[in-house]
Amino acid sequence: MSAIVKKRKVDLECRAFNPEYFFTERFGQAQCLICLKTVAVLKEYNMRRHWETQHQASSFASISAAERKEAIVKLSGNLQKSTSLFRKQTTEADKVTRASYEVSRLLARRMKPFTDGDFIKECIMVVIDSLCPGKRSAFESVSLLPRTVCRRIEMSDSVNDSLKTCCSNFDAFSLALDESTDMKDTAQLAIFIRRVTAALQVYEEFLQLVPLHGTTTGQDIFDAVLQCVKQHSLDLSRLMCVTTDGAPAMTGKKKGAASLLVRHCEAAGHTQPIHKVHCIIHQESLCSKSANLTDVMSVVVKVVNSILSRSLNHRQFQALTDEVTHTMVTCFTSVRSAG
């Protein structure tokens, strides 16, 4: 059999580049410095043909060799400057877009209306006019219009869609419920999900934080959980466990949220056993109270309160913790339990 002859490639010939015909090499191609066109192959024949057909009658053909070298250097510099300018403009545009996304993210995190973007930009422009007026044009290009902020924030819908997709690919799941009150005295119900796939892979996700306005009875919590289940298209026939804290609204035998959820599943024809589990942290709190550890806890609480009750003690203790790289202590708070 005859040997296979490999096709010769131009880039493997190690040819020396000759700028005689006002060409320069950019990104592996020969580009004309006069008309900025490129030739198909980096070969002297192609460059000479382009020169003879396009620029043979131009003023560059009658100059001397020294003037030609000087013109090549000048044209190469102009090409480099224009390329740098385009690259700089692209970088600045990316920074402007990123700034718009960051401000939109802060508005969404603080739960502010989209129209606040215009007010924020107005404040920024006032500061810029006072500190650095020369950079006003760079900040003016940051778009914070309500429609722009809305488009930036609407990308979070894809996160909810991916969460719904994850919630549909499992064989069994359990829910963890915890109701607490925030700084503005609004009851917040945190719902977590733990799901198990057919390959026995366990995943945990924060499902939703539901504000409860008004009462926080077991029926209110059950309604919020049921709405969350419908919103994320969860199949209650795969629910195996419900974990709650020790509040009566959660663990009540008749009107507790967990009991209402179990009875709802039974009424829907779901026959799987659903386990109601008390939170392990609250169980530890109950054990510590039943173990009669008041001698230890009373001393600890007294020391912590003594440190935090006076500013001087607090500053001195903070200086001590900075030396030994420990975190600061917080005030003691009892864990709410079933009583």
Side-chain angles (χ1 to χ4, degrees), residues 234-288:
L234 296 176
D235 186 5
L236 290 178
S237 63
R238 301 179 181 180
L239 178 62
M240 298 298 172
C241 179
V242 179
T243 303
T244 62
D245 56 13
M250 292 285 190
T251 60
K253 187 175 181 180
K254 294 183 178 180
K255 297 183 179 181
S259 301
L260 292 175
L261 184 59
V262 172
R263 287 200 293 268
H264 175 79
C265 293
E266 293 176 351
H270 306 318
T271 59
Q272 81 280 7
I274 300 177
H275 303 280
K276 294 182 290 185
V277 180
H278 190 190
C279 176
I280 187 64
I281 298 178
H282 294 83
Q283 292 184 29
E284 292 177 353
S285 176
L286 293 175
C287 291
S288 64

Side-chain angles (χ1 to χ4, degrees), residues 190-224:
I191 305 175
F192 298 84
I193 183 173
R194 173 181 287 184
R195 53 193 178 89
V196 182
T197 63
L200 298 181
Q201 294 178 338
V202 181
Y203 299 93
E204 293 183 359
E205 297 287 347
F206 173 70
L207 200 58
Q208 193 173 357
L209 184 65
V210 183
L212 300 177
H213 303 285
T215 59
T216 57
T217 62
Q219 185 66 40
D220 297 329
I221 297 174
F222 166 72
D223 294 338

Side-chain angles (χ1 to χ4, degrees), residues 8-60:
R8 187 180 63 176
K9 295 184 178 180
V10 177
D11 55 352
L12 299 178
E13 295 182 2
C14 301
R15 298 179 179 178
F17 185 76
N18 185 9
E20 179 182 358
Y21 302 106
F22 288 88
F23 272 85
T24 183
E25 184 179 3
R26 295 186 71 249
F27 307 110
Q29 292 182 337
Q31 184 174 12
C32 179
L33 295 173
I34 301 175
C35 62
L36 301 181
K37 293 182 179 180
T38 58
V39 296
V41 184
L42 187 61
K43 296 175 65 175
E44 183 179 359
Y45 170 77
N46 294 342
M47 291 183 287
R48 185 174 68 250
R49 183 179 62 181
H50 177 83
W51 166 261
E52 293 175 352
T53 57
Q54 301 292 334
H55 308 296
Q56 185 68 39
S58 64
S59 59
F60 293 98

Side-chain angles (χ1 to χ4, degrees), residues 45-102:
Y45 170 77
N46 294 342
M47 291 183 287
R48 185 174 68 250
R49 183 179 62 181
H50 177 83
W51 166 261
E52 293 175 352
T53 57
Q54 301 292 334
H55 308 296
Q56 185 68 39
S58 64
S59 59
F60 293 98
S62 58
I63 61 178
S64 62
E67 293 175 344
R68 175 171 294 192
K69 291 182 179 180
E70 184 178 352
I72 290 174
V73 173
K74 184 178 180 180
L75 292 174
S76 299
N78 294 337
L79 178 61
Q80 186 67 26
K81 288 181 181 179
S82 62
T83 306
S84 302
L85 178 61
F86 288 135
R87 187 180 297 111
K88 181 179 179 181
Q89 290 178 351
T90 303
T91 304
E92 291 180 353
D94 293 340
K95 291 181 179 179
V96 168
T97 304
R98 182 174 181 178
S100 178
Y101 271 101
E102 291 295 334

